[in-house]
Amino acid sequence: MTATDAPGPIDLRSDTVTKPTEAMRAAMAAAEVGDDVYGEDPTVRALEERVADLFGKKAALFTPTGSMANLLAVRALVSPGQEVLCEAQAHIARAELGAHGAFFGVTMRTWSHPRGGVDLPAIEAMFAPDLSPFFVATKAISVECTHNFAGGRVVPLAEIESLHPLVERHDIGLHVDGARIWNAHVASGVPLADYGRACGVLTVCLSKGLGAPVGSLVLGPRRMIDEARVWRKRLGGGMRQAGVLAAAGLHALDHHVERLADDHSHARLLAEACGVDPAEVETNIVVLDVPDAAAVVAAARDAGVLVSALGERTVRLVTHLDVSRDQAEVAASVLAKALASTRPSAGGS
Ligand SMILES: Cc1ncc(COP(=O)(O)O)c(C=O)c1O
């Protein structure tokens, strides 16, 4: 039985809920391994080299999570008491539990963009030169692509590149949180290497749309990645026979990238059923603005579909490897009913 056929609710809470396929498990079982803290795991090394090459970066480091990859990426660019600028709904600002400040003394200021993109005039106005000892100095800008909480939007490459003159003029860092860069690549047709060229440091995840159980990478210049390796160990992220996990990532790169187009098409199908213009859905995430998110989550759950409330009025649906076309169609009909039954006028009162 594949994970897709497994009985149980249709789980649209996140693309992190996928279970490794039989073929992925076989690849994991067959992985050659060694102690990666000694640099002796051939499968981890193969994964790091392959992903660095895909994005045209000099080096890559395998990490247990995207949050750790982002932490190491920002740390590589920003020192304690300095700041990174990012969009207000960015994962690094909202969903990493303050790790960048808690562990590395980095502060953040944010700009707002209705679709999670780059607002160059706002960023230029916010930029703070190093006027020590008076102000916190801006040392990096971080852009998220695709942008999770902005509904999986592909931030256009040109928007990221529009930051280059500012970044070069002030010699600061540019980070892309590419947890779902694979979705951006499949949706936009932009080559992975172009995303790599557009930023100094990039993070990518294998455990989201690609369906691996664990694993992310931080990519950049060799010296920065060597230093990130030391910091990963300091944070307790030095993994030993991690080749079993890296093998899942290598398998995902071989088999699960192009198929992301299916997830995108399933997301458009869900959007249409939920009254969202499918043309606005670029990848695998649909964000719904509803009067009562908790009521929608509960009504959908009672009918066998799991979705997330991101706020009191916001519901998120995410399609992935473990949601077939048939399941997306069932979920679409369940959600249409859940939305209708939870509208304030429903029931005539
Ligand atoms: C855009 C983005 N970046 C980073 C992460 C962090 O990944 P992890 O959950 O592996 O820490 C996520 C998680 O969903 C994400 O959506």
Side-chain angles (χ1 to χ4, degrees):
M1 189 192 309
T2 66
T4 306
D5 299 324
I10 300 170
D11 196 341
L12 301 175
R13 288 171 302 163
S14 173
D15 47 11
T16 58
V17 300
T18 56
K19 307 221 170 91
T21 61
E22 290 299 331
M24 184 180 274
R25 287 172 192 263
M28 294 170 77
E32 251 189 88
V33 296
D35 188 325
D36 184 50
V37 175
Y38 286 91
E40 290 172 4
D41 190 303
T43 311
V44 171
R45 288 169 79 146
L47 175 70
E48 289 175 344
E49 277 164 30
R50 179 163 170 194
V51 176
D53 278 355
L54 282 174
F55 290 91
K57 290 296 192 205
K58 285 280 183 261
L61 177 72
F62 188 48
T63 61
T65 62
S67 298
M68 189 185 285
N70 278 342
L71 193 57
L72 295 173
V74 172
R75 199 223 63 87
L77 303 171
V78 186
S79 297
Q82 302 178 333
E83 71 177 4
V84 56
L85 307 182
C86 62
E87 203 280 323
Q89 302 302 325
H91 197 275
I92 65 164
R94 293 212 51 215
E96 293 176 10
L97 307 185
H100 301 261
F103 293 116
F104 291 133
V106 169
T107 64
M108 287 181 187
R109 280 187 301 148
T110 59
W111 72 88
S112 288
H113 185 288
R115 306 213 58 215
V118 171
D119 181 341
L120 188 57
I123 296 167
E124 281 177 330
M126 287 168 74
F127 172 80
D130 196 343
L131 296 176
S132 196
F134 296 105
F135 293 104
V136 176
T138 305
K139 288 295 168 180
I141 300 172
S142 177
V143 178
E144 186 174 310
C145 179
T146 66
H147 195 300
N148 182 348
F149 300 136
R153 179 185 179 231
V154 180
V155 176
L157 186 67
E159 274 187 38
I160 302 172
E161 289 173 338
S162 73
L163 291 163
H164 288 181
L166 176 73
V167 161
E168 281 157 21
R169 195 158 65 245
H170 299 290
D171 193 24
I172 60 173
L174 180 54
H175 165 239
V176 168
D177 176 356
R180 296 183 181 78
I181 201 79
W182 321 98
N183 298 82
H185 158 67
V186 166
S188 67
V190 170
L192 295 174
D194 287 8
Y195 285 118
R197 249 194 307 279
C199 62
V201 181
L202 174 70
T203 47
V204 303
C205 290
L206 305 165
S207 56
K208 314 281 179 305
L210 294 195
V214 174
S216 297
L217 296 104
V218 51
L219 290 70
R222 164 100 27 218
R223 193 185 42 76
M224 268 186 201
I225 297 302
D226 287 347
E227 217 186 311
R229 192 175 294 279
V230 175
W231 275 103
R232 181 188 67 176
K233 180 71 163 56
R234 238 175 229 135
L235 290 172
M239 299 178 285
R240 302 296 179 167
Q241 286 70 33
V244 286
L245 304 175
L250 286 164
H251 178 86
L253 290 174
D254 287 335
H255 301 285
H256 296 168
V257 177
E258 296 312 320
R259 64 150 304 286
L260 291 171
D262 297 339
D263 297 344
H264 301 172
S265 132
H266 298 163
R268 287 193 292 272
L269 184 155
L270 290 170
E272 196 153 22
C274 297
V276 171
D277 180 359
E280 284 188 9
V281 175
E282 297 180 46
T283 58
N284 66 329
I285 300 178
V286 183
V287 172
L288 308 176
D289 185 15
V290 296
D292 183 348
V296 174
V297 170
R301 188 187 52 228
D302 291 348
V305 175
L306 304 182
V307 297
S308 301
L310 291 189
E312 286 185 359
R313 295 178 49 96
T314 310
V315 168
R316 187 187 67 175
L317 328 172
V318 188
T319 56
H320 52 75
L321 183 63
D322 289 356
V323 177
S324 66
R325 182 91 192 167
D326 286 352
Q327 288 173 314
E329 279 167 6
V330 170
S333 131
V334 164
L335 286 164
K337 286 186 199 129
L339 289 170
S341 70
T342 55
R343 272 189 206 111
S345 57
S349 57

